[in-house]
Amino acid sequence: MNIPSRKIVNQLRNEYPAGTRIELINMDGAQAPPMGTLGTVKGVDDMGSIMVHWDNGSSLSLVY
């Protein structure tokens, strides 16, 4: 796994601050919420993962 630089993590935090509303366009995996699911960003962790609380109750993060 590639670890993003501090610069990239900070850019993600600026682009996706807590409270930002997002829509899932596409995600691979059996645990993925359905396409079109809306969610609220809770933050970006030190690995660059975008932590999301999806409207369907899932809390699956997005990996940069």
Side-chain angles (χ1 to χ4, degrees):
M1 173 161 73
N2 292 331
I3 298 173
S5 68
R6 184 177 304 273
K7 179 180 177 183
I8 290 174
V9 171
N10 287 335
Q11 288 174 338
L12 288 168
R13 287 179 174 149
N14 286 331
E15 189 170 350
Y16 299 101
T20 300
R21 295 287 291 165
I22 61 173
E23 178 182 358
L24 182 66
I25 303 299
N26 184 28
M27 182 187 287
D28 292 330
Q31 305 269 336
M35 288 177 17
T37 301
L38 299 175
T40 303
V41 173
K42 294 298 178 186
V44 176
D45 69 14
D46 291 339
M47 294 295 291
S49 295
I50 302 169
M51 300 175 291
V52 181
H53 177 75
W54 297 101
D55 290 357
N56 69 352
S58 173
S59 59
L60 193 62
S61 294
L62 303 174
V63 177
Y64 171 77

